[in-house]
Amino acid sequence: MFDCRFDLTNADAGSRRYRDGHIPRAAYLHLNIDLSGPVEPGKSGRHPLPKRAAFEALLTEHGVTDETQIVAYDDVGGMFAARLWWMVRWTGHTAVAVLDGGYQAWLKREGAHAARDTARAPVVPSPVSMQQVREHVDAGTWTLVDARASDRFHGKNETIDPVAGHIAGALNAPFQGNLGDDGRFLERAELQRRFSALLAGEGGKPVVCYCGSGVTAAHNVLAMVHAGMPEPALYPGSFSEWITDPGNPVAT
């Protein structure tokens, strides 16, 4: 089990919460250190993927084998745990789940429900690059889904990145909409209705999820997989990488 608690405004907060209390035998993984590679100013997004071999070695150091069932959790509805879920599957290890309701549900002893799809053959996801996204944006052949809050998507309240707005042509599905008031994922049928309505006019084009830095986008990937829908691709560089090239179209 891995504790993925983090705070984008205070990088040390998650590790402090872990030291104050965590699920027994859970190990802590830090978003900036363990779940991201080095940031290249002006070239990469804020949370680029690490080298896959390095991440595989990290899992091995924590005792993960081919038979290990991995469970990830945080305290913000899976916002960061979904990043680990996607990355583990990226290595080819498919026995991974997100603890529904997170640390709060554990403290209430409400059970360890896992948001994952087990009905279909496992998928090993592959990330898409900025160049691939640009080519398909120009051609209109992919549907991009932005997981950020609507005010950031529309460029009205950008507090993190130096450019406001979204990738031109993208749709907005804030990841918080995947959760109920109790912090748990919505029922599968509700998630399916949510994304089916969003994509209704897209003509069945392949879906690519992105956000600010490739973290909350994985939450939408998880929600769609959990709902039994085709798995979308992930653009890990996301908007913070997209805007490093002034030639990439941005809309508000």
Side-chain angles (χ1 to χ4, degrees):
M1 183 168 283
F2 289 105
D3 186 317
C4 302
R5 284 178 287 176
F6 192 75
D7 186 335
L8 291 172
T9 64
N10 184 345
D12 296 324
S15 56
R16 284 202 301 269
R17 292 175 201 160
Y18 174 79
R19 290 192 297 270
D20 289 342
H22 57 268
I23 295 176
R25 293 182 293 282
Y28 183 71
L29 293 182
H30 193 288
L31 175 64
N32 291 352
I33 299 170
D34 301 309
L35 303 182
S36 301
V39 174
E40 298 182 61
K43 293 183 178 181
S44 73
R46 286 181 279 105
H47 294 107
L49 291 175
K51 297 292 185 182
R52 184 160 58 181
F55 181 62
E56 290 172 342
L58 176 67
L59 294 177
T60 299
E61 289 173 10
H62 283 287
V64 173
T65 69
D66 291 343
E67 291 73 38
T68 302
Q69 171 65 60
I70 296 174
V71 177
Y73 72 90
D74 57 35
D75 55 3
V76 283
M79 176 179 177
F80 302 110
R83 165 83 166 202
L84 177 60
W85 170 85
W86 189 93
M87 289 179 62
V88 168
R89 295 168 68 253
W90 174 50
T91 71
H93 188 101
T94 57
V96 57
V98 169
L99 182 65
D100 199 10
Y103 190 58
Q104 297 93 324
W106 175 266
L107 292 176
K108 294 177 182 178
R109 298 297 190 269
E110 293 180 358
H113 303 287
R116 61 171 179 150
D117 175 48
T118 57
R120 296 172 292 152
V123 173
V124 177
S126 296
V128 298
S129 68
M130 180 170 69
Q131 181 60 37
Q132 289 175 302
V133 173
R134 177 61 188 268
E135 291 171 358
H136 285 273
V137 165
D138 290 344
T141 47
W142 281 355
T143 296
L144 299 179
V145 176
D146 190 319
R148 294 175 300 163
S150 61
D151 57 346
R152 291 186 65 205
F153 176 81
H154 291 294
K156 295 178 179 179
N157 183 31
E158 182 53 64
T159 59
I160 301 176
D161 292 311
V163 176
H166 58 268
I167 298 176
L171 305 177
N172 188 211
F175 81 92
Q176 295 93 335
N178 300 324
L179 304 171
D181 293 339
D182 59 356
R184 295 179 182 271
F185 277 82
L186 299 174
E187 295 296 325
R188 293 186 178 194
E190 292 182 73
L191 290 171
Q192 190 171 81
R193 283 194 293 271
R194 180 188 192 214
F195 286 100
S196 294
L198 179 76
L199 302 172
E202 294 301 299
K205 291 184 291 187
V207 177
V208 176
C209 292
Y210 81 95
C211 56
S213 63
V215 177
T216 59
H219 201 280
N220 277 349
V221 176
L222 172 58
M224 292 180 70
V225 170
H226 185 51
M229 303 177 72
E231 176 159 352
L234 178 72
Y235 172 29
S238 286
F239 190 68
S240 58
E241 179 187 58
W242 183 257
I243 59 176
T244 62
D245 184 343
N248 286 337
V250 172
T252 56

